[in-house]
Amino acid sequence: MKRKILCTAAMLVALAPIATRAQNPGTILIQNATVLTVTHGNIEHGSILIRDGKIAAVGADLKAPEGATVIDATGQFVMPGIIDCHSHIAVDGSVNEAGPAVSSMANIADVLNPDDIDIYRDLAGGVTAANILHGSANPIGGQTVVIKLRWGKPASELPFQGALPGIKFALGENPKHSNFPTPPGVTPRYPATRLGVEEVIRQAFIEAREYKKQWDDYNQRKSAGAQNLIPPRRDVRLDPLVEVLEGKRYVHAHCYRADEILMLIRVANEFGFKVRTFQHVLEGYKIADEIAASGAGGSTFSDWWAYKMEAFDAIPYNAALMTERGVITSVNSDDAQEARQLNQEAAKSMKFGGLSANDALKLITLNPAIQLGIEARAGSIDVGKDADLAIYNHDPLSVYAVVEKTLIDGQVYFDRQRDIAQRSTLATEKQSLLDKEKKAAEEKKAEQKKTEENSEKKPDKKPGQKKKPPQDGSNNGSGNVNIANGAAGGAR
Amino acid sequence: MKILKLSSRGAMALVLAASLTIPAWSQTTSSAYAIKGGKVFTLAGPAIENGTVIIRDGKIAAVGANIAIPSDAQVIDATGLEVYPGMFDPITQIGLNEVSAVNATVDVSELGDYNPELVAATAVNPASAHIPVTRANGITSVIAVPGSTSLDLQSGGLIAGQASAFNLAGWTMDEMQINRSVAMVINWPSIQTATFDFASFSVKEKPYADVKKEYDKSVNTLSDWLDRARHYAQAKEKGSPTLYERDLKLEALVPVVERKLPVLVIADQERDIRNAVEFCTKQNLKMILGSGAEAWKVKDLLKDKKIPLVLAPTNRLPEQEDTPYDKPYTEPSELFAAGIPFAFSSFGTAFSRRLPQYAGTAVAYGLPHDEALKAVMLNAAQIFGLADQLGSLEPGKLANIIVTNGDPLELQTQVRYLFIKGQLTSTDNKHRDLYEQYRKRPQPAH
């Protein structure tokens, strides 16, 4: 029975990708739109020609080639698809391997869940790519992956091809476990201070450097023709850190306070690697010059603050101030809902700190693309880039903007009108599944009753032994309610 | 629906210029003001072009197109600006919750499940950094709600205590307070078979029968408290103090059973809302529904029972996987179309300043703009019985007024002048102070 309910839930989820599965489009012309290119201004009554998933032309007077699909976007705004530099959607289960203080062996790419409904929801908020991060429980967390929100495609087709993998670091309250008490009887984990966080990271890189040296020596001797060499023992925990040292893997470091940010810059300098992004970086505005000089980007929230002590000096001017001081800055979500409104969050940097509209747009397009090293493929509307686009009915920096369509690789993955049109079909299908489940439950109940009646007739039953009540809710007087709840809500 | 074109840097300069006239830490003490030249949205009638608002002794003295300006009034030139009632956020933890993760700074949820005698006003910290931050975004009054569980990890209790309404300016809570007790807060017991367990950081499943048993026990205990409150009221009325010793909990529940104090019942799921409505109807309580993520499923019931709603933030995820992706955005327009009175709310502390954003999103998805304004300014005042003091620009009401450079629901709009209880109030706050401080930081030497 329970299995059946789960199947029903899975089927319901499966309906949406069928409804919205993108078709290979060939050639598409989006016309009559206000095109917000981000790199070369806004084009009124502009058009975008898409060929084989790439932007083939952008301009004011483009004609539709023969056989092209035309999307009339009169009165609408087209912007580059939003890139969320901090997301935890599409992850199957927990995002934290919270046992060891260094969990670099764990990889988020291994647990991508293409059926997570939040992929579709964020797509409906104009998001086309996201940096899927491990959690912040450890000074050195797990490996991370950049995905495109190709809803309906299997997990293997989610990763953004060519994007460098990353690794999550975390500083401050979370890795030192300040805000979740250690359960009674459990030994607290080291580190419990910011001092210890630094030590854990430094120690790990000392090991990684030593390990790298062993491999470098081995490879050198091997290539010099040495025979009968024994390779060093593979260490899956240190491999990703070696990639960091070699510049093949980006460090995305969760952080809040200015002191801990400076600490990591010092440690990175000591070992000769670069931090690619400081994530959250809510006190980034206090040391924006130092961050800019280190070459790291800052990926922050719009106006979150005061949810913990290290967020008490957070200000909504952070993105604007870091931008002013030369830090490549993005605004991220860290949350499936916030991702649906990143356009609104970016707009706040105009109010708080006076960014221009284009600089505000950059916070959720070009800048996160640079931070993730995918700016040659995404982040602006330029010829040759992937046709990852969001079409709004209004200026996307207005609270009144609604996403009409989202395209990835030139394919329409989200279409608001299509979504609305298919709702009644989905509702009918859900009802028929529920009816089927109810019927099955009633039959089961009848059968159970029959079995119980039979067993009660047996004479060898011990006196005083009570019947065990059914535990599945089918005999509680509101069984139907329970089943409905299971089918519709059980998966969450 | 306008999209702001004004240069933001220019706007900033103007705001700073305006704020120079007001001491950074306080309010002015003039007794009369005239706000003239702006477009006045009274919410009690059509907007008035080139209107004037006269403020005297903390209250609105006159509003209109051709009004004489008293000679003693300090004049605020609002030419090119817009004048609105201040916004009102009816479910917050402002003053009770400074830094959510630091227990020492949080006074939201008391131990125990039945605490009707507790009153939020007791612990509202008038020096909270959230107060100036929030009012700078145009929110002039809030209700602090004890035991509200939506955004914190604490249990909250079943009868969590009394909610208090206050203005976001003043030296002490006595000066800030609008009404010490505006509602009795009930966190409706939800029948949840799967709940997140923070001790083990995982979802724990419980059999339905067990959960239902716990639920029935909670509801029976709630009924029992109300019955005892009725008996207590009778005994008190009959004048027999020897039979009944003073009981603070029962005493606090007397206005509830007498329908003098509404119950603010927090519930989200359809089943929980239906159960709560059935309970309050049976108990003859004056119910306000709080949160109501699935209120759209019970519109007929809410309409039929005349139950108003303080709606969970619009910008949230749908309740279930197959709920339309935009349901939280369209829910306000559906409620409006169904004729159910509702107000927007942040259900938070740090996000109280997002109140206009939540309303704006609802407008994007179909709610008429003027209704959205009411739902952040007027409706909550009506729902909590404070409309004689708040919510519109009418003579006799408290002069809680914002003067903006545009649509107050739009993300880039700045509040230029802020009046709370008739006093011109600073929009300076911790965030702007830090911004100004670090903006001036010299380049470090390398």
Side-chain angles (χ1 to χ4, degrees):
Chain A
M1 182 61 207
K2 195 173 179 192
R3 197 184 150 79
K4 265 189 192 165
I5 289 172
L6 286 173
C7 284
T8 312
M11 281 167 74
L12 285 167
V13 174
L15 294 174
I18 293 164
T20 57
R21 183 163 292 157
Q23 301 295 316
N24 191 349
T27 305
I28 295 179
L29 185 75
I30 302 171
Q31 63 182 25
N32 292 326
T34 301
V35 179
L36 311 173
T37 68
V38 175
T39 46
H40 55 283
N42 301 344
I43 306 167
E44 301 291 334
H45 307 291
S47 302
I48 303 168
L49 182 68
I50 300 163
R51 202 171 270 142
D52 300 327
K54 301 269 183 190
I55 297 170
V58 185
D61 295 306
L62 300 181
K63 296 276 174 289
E66 204 167 319
T69 309
V70 173
I71 297 176
D72 181 42
T74 304
Q76 300 182 337
F77 289 68
V78 188
M79 66 174 276
I82 293 171
I83 299 169
D84 185 357
C85 201
H86 192 129
S87 172
H88 300 293
I89 64 166
V91 178
D92 191 11
S94 173
V95 299
N96 264 310
E97 175 49 67
V102 178
S103 61
S104 41
M105 70 298 263
N107 192 346
I108 286 291
D110 293 338
V111 289
L112 285 181
N113 170 19
D115 293 331
D116 181 359
I117 190 68
D118 287 337
I119 298 175
Y120 183 73
R121 290 168 174 165
D122 289 0
L123 190 62
V127 181
T128 55
N131 191 21
I132 309 300
L133 296 174
H134 184 272
S136 54
N138 314 325
I140 295 182
Q143 300 166 47
T144 67
V145 62
V146 183
I147 65 165
K148 285 204 187 187
L149 276 61
R150 297 188 183 101
W151 176 243
K153 295 283 166 67
S156 59
E157 290 180 41
L158 294 184
F160 195 121
Q161 296 89 340
L164 275 195
I167 187 165
K168 177 80 170 276
F169 285 16
L171 317 175
E173 292 179 18
N174 288 14
K176 74 191 187 89
H177 290 190
S178 298
N179 299 322
F180 293 101
T182 307
V186 176
T187 309
R189 190 196 72 177
Y190 185 93
T193 65
R194 286 181 172 84
L195 294 73
V197 169
E198 176 185 33
E199 194 272 343
V200 166
I201 296 172
R202 176 173 284 118
Q203 189 61 42
F205 274 96
I206 288 170
E207 285 175 44
R209 192 158 62 179
E210 189 55 39
Y211 175 68
K212 180 178 181 305
K213 190 169 171 292
Q214 288 172 16
W215 273 100
D216 288 348
D217 289 349
Y218 167 78
N219 288 329
Q220 203 180 4
R221 291 167 67 190
K222 197 179 166 193
S223 60
Q227 299 292 309
N228 301 324
L229 286 173
I230 299 169
R233 180 180 176 140
R234 186 56 81 195
D235 188 328
V236 292
R237 193 177 65 111
L238 295 178
D239 281 337
L241 301 187
V242 171
E243 289 171 348
V244 168
L245 291 171
E246 291 172 339
K248 295 173 184 162
R249 182 178 290 279
Y250 289 151
V251 173
H252 301 293
H254 158 118
C255 59
Y256 282 82
R257 259 171 37 188
D259 52 282
E260 65 198 20
I261 297 166
L262 294 176
M263 174 276 283
L264 189 60
I265 292 174
R266 278 195 304 272
V267 172
N269 286 341
E270 181 181 328
F271 291 93
F273 70 88
K274 291 215 180 294
V275 177
R276 187 67 183 186
T277 66
F278 284 105
Q279 296 283 331
H280 310 320
V281 64
L282 295 187
E283 290 190 9
Y285 69 94
K286 293 185 177 178
I287 46 157
D289 292 321
E290 285 88 345
I291 295 174
S294 81
S299 190
T300 189
F301 295 132
S302 54
D303 59 359
W304 298 22
W305 76 294
Y307 47 98
K308 47 185 172 172
M309 203 60 225
E310 61 191 2
F312 199 51
D313 267 6
I315 61 173
Y317 305 86
N318 192 35
L321 231 167
M322 285 199 295
T323 301
E324 234 172 70
R325 296 275 180 141
V327 179
I328 302 289
T329 304
S330 63
V331 166
N332 68 47
S333 78
D334 194 10
D335 176 86
Q337 168 56 37
E338 192 85 347
R340 305 192 323 147
Q341 64 197 48
L342 276 175
N343 59 316
Q344 297 183 359
E345 300 313 311
K348 291 176 184 173
S349 65
M350 300 168 72
K351 171 171 181 162
F352 297 104
L355 280 195
S356 70
N358 201 58
D359 279 348
L361 277 182
K362 276 187 186 171
L363 296 175
I364 51 171
T365 55
L366 189 61
N367 291 358
I370 294 168
Q371 292 175 339
L372 298 172
I374 54 175
E375 74 274 22
R377 296 265 309 277
S380 66
I381 300 181
D382 280 296
V383 173
K385 286 200 179 184
D386 294 0
D388 297 352
L389 305 166
I391 307 181
Y392 287 83
N393 67 347
H394 248 287
D395 180 345
L397 294 170
S398 161
V399 76
Y400 303 123
V402 173
V403 176
E404 290 292 337
K405 290 184 178 66
T406 310
L407 288 75
I408 297 175
D409 306 323
Q411 302 184 27
V412 178
Y413 274 84
F414 168 74
D415 183 331
R416 175 164 168 78
Q417 299 314 319
R418 190 165 65 191
D419 182 289
I420 291 168
Q422 283 168 341
R423 285 177 194 177
S424 62
T425 316
L426 283 170
T428 310
E429 186 155 4
K430 179 179 178 180
Q431 195 52 52
S432 73
L433 288 167
L434 284 174
D435 292 345
K436 201 174 157 190
E437 289 296 345
K438 279 182 194 170
K439 203 176 152 209
E442 275 156 20
E443 280 167 8
K444 191 189 167 194
K445 202 168 145 186
E447 200 177 304
Q448 212 169 23
K449 207 175 161 191
K450 218 165 139 189
T451 318
E452 275 165 14
E453 277 168 11
N454 286 341
S455 70
E456 269 170 18
K457 281 175 198 161
K458 286 182 186 169
D460 60 346
K461 195 171 183 286
K462 282 183 197 156
Q465 188 184 342
K466 278 187 179 171
K467 272 190 297 172
K468 207 180 165 192
Q471 293 292 304
D472 62 359
S474 59
N475 196 25
N476 56 29
S478 57
N480 290 349
V481 176
N482 189 32
I483 289 160
N485 185 47
R492 278 210 83 76
Chain B
M1 222 181 279
K2 53 186 80 69
I3 295 161
L4 199 64
K5 296 286 186 210
L6 195 88
S7 131
S8 302
R9 217 168 277 283
M12 177 61 62
L14 282 168
V15 167
L16 293 174
S19 64
L20 288 178
T21 60
I22 312 160
W25 38 265
S26 79
Q27 299 178 283
T28 56
T29 48
S30 175
S31 68
Y33 290 93
I35 305 168
K36 73 169 187 83
K39 185 169 181 182
V40 181
F41 295 79
T42 65
L43 300 203
I48 305 163
E49 298 282 354
N50 196 10
T52 301
V53 181
I54 308 292
I55 299 165
R56 186 173 290 283
D57 298 331
K59 297 203 168 156
I60 297 168
V63 185
N66 297 300
I67 292 190
I69 294 174
S71 56
D72 63 334
Q74 190 180 328
V75 178
I76 303 290
D77 182 7
T79 306
L81 303 176
E82 299 180 0
V83 185
Y84 296 90
M87 288 182 263
F88 183 17
D89 189 355
I91 297 187
T92 77
Q93 298 176 351
I94 289 186
L96 301 179
N97 180 352
E98 197 67 9
V99 180
S100 318
V102 182
N103 263 338
T105 71
V106 181
D107 291 291
V108 174
S109 297
E110 188 47 271
L111 297 174
D113 280 338
Y114 302 93
N115 293 313
E117 76 282 23
L118 304 183
V119 185
T122 301
V124 167
N125 173 12
S128 166
H130 291 274
I131 290 172
V133 164
T134 304
R135 73 178 178 227
N137 244 29
I139 292 100
T140 53
S141 345
V142 300
I143 296 175
V145 175
S148 47
T149 55
S150 289
L151 289 174
D152 72 40
L153 310 179
Q154 290 147 314
S155 71
L158 283 167
I159 302 181
Q162 299 166 48
S164 308
F166 59 100
N167 293 314
L168 290 184
W171 295 98
T172 66
M173 188 54 179
D174 290 336
E175 288 178 19
M176 298 160 75
Q177 199 166 287
I178 300 167
N179 189 332
R180 191 171 155 80
S181 179
V182 291
M184 184 65 72
V185 182
I186 296 181
N187 287 309
W188 190 254
S190 182
I191 306 177
Q192 297 279 359
T193 51
T195 51
F196 193 80
D197 175 48
F198 274 94
S200 62
F201 224 77
S202 60
V203 176
K204 289 263 153 75
E205 293 268 358
K206 277 189 192 172
Y208 177 84
D210 292 4
V211 181
K212 179 71 163 56
K213 213 165 144 188
E214 282 171 31
Y215 167 80
D216 288 341
K217 197 179 156 200
S218 298
V219 174
N220 288 340
T221 314
L222 271 177
S223 302
D224 189 46
W225 274 106
L226 296 169
D227 285 344
R228 286 163 61 199
R230 285 187 188 97
H231 296 150
Y232 184 83
Q234 281 171 4
K236 223 176 148 188
E237 200 183 290
K238 302 248 162 67
S240 53
T242 47
L243 293 177
Y244 269 80
E245 276 181 35
R246 191 173 173 208
D247 185 312
L248 292 179
K249 289 181 192 288
L250 295 179
E251 195 170 282
L253 285 170
V254 168
V256 173
V257 295
E258 289 178 346
R259 286 180 67 89
K260 287 175 188 157
L261 186 67
V263 283
L264 172 62
V265 184
I266 311 292
D268 275 314
Q269 309 294 322
E270 177 185 1
R271 174 168 53 189
D272 300 333
I273 299 172
R274 287 190 188 281
N275 288 342
V277 171
E278 190 187 333
F279 177 85
C280 289
T281 307
K282 199 171 145 201
Q283 293 284 344
N284 193 27
L285 306 180
K286 205 164 143 191
M287 176 178 167
I288 300 166
L289 176 61
S291 203
E294 288 190 339
W296 56 277
K297 290 187 176 174
V298 292
K299 288 188 292 245
D300 290 345
L301 179 69
L302 297 178
K303 169 98 175 149
D304 181 45
K305 301 287 182 190
K306 296 190 172 58
I307 294 168
L309 169 63
V310 178
L311 189 58
T314 317
N315 293 32
R316 65 177 194 275
L317 291 171
E319 284 296 293
Q320 299 181 349
E321 291 197 16
D322 64 328
T323 305
Y325 82 93
D326 62 354
K327 184 54 83 176
Y329 303 161
T330 58
E331 186 180 15
S333 65
E334 288 181 36
L335 295 171
F336 167 67
I340 297 163
F342 72 94
F344 291 108
S345 181
S346 70
F347 283 73
T349 307
F351 278 176
S352 183
R353 64 173 161 199
R354 285 189 168 189
L355 185 65
Q357 180 182 7
Y358 299 143
T361 299
V363 173
Y365 288 82
L367 181 69
H369 187 262
D370 54 345
E371 294 302 327
L373 288 179
K374 285 182 191 163
V376 292
M377 294 166 180
L378 177 62
N379 295 1
Q382 291 170 338
I383 290 169
F384 287 91
L386 303 169
D388 58 331
Q389 297 179 71
L390 294 172
S392 60
L393 302 183
E394 292 177 274
K397 287 199 181 186
L398 280 186
N400 285 0
I401 299 171
I402 55 173
V403 182
T404 66
N405 65 350
D407 179 357
L409 305 186
E410 191 52 282
L411 297 158
Q412 297 142 31
T413 301
Q414 304 273 3
V415 174
R416 290 289 179 72
Y417 301 100
L418 184 65
F419 286 88
I420 294 178
K421 271 174 83 175
Q423 295 303 314
L424 188 54
T425 305
S426 169
T427 55
D428 277 358
N429 59 73
K430 175 182 165 84
H431 296 176
R432 199 190 287 158
D433 292 349
L434 282 168
Y435 171 63
E436 292 302 332
Q437 182 186 343
Y438 281 92
R439 215 180 161 206
K440 291 182 195 126
R441 184 187 164 201
Q443 287 267 342
H446 284 291

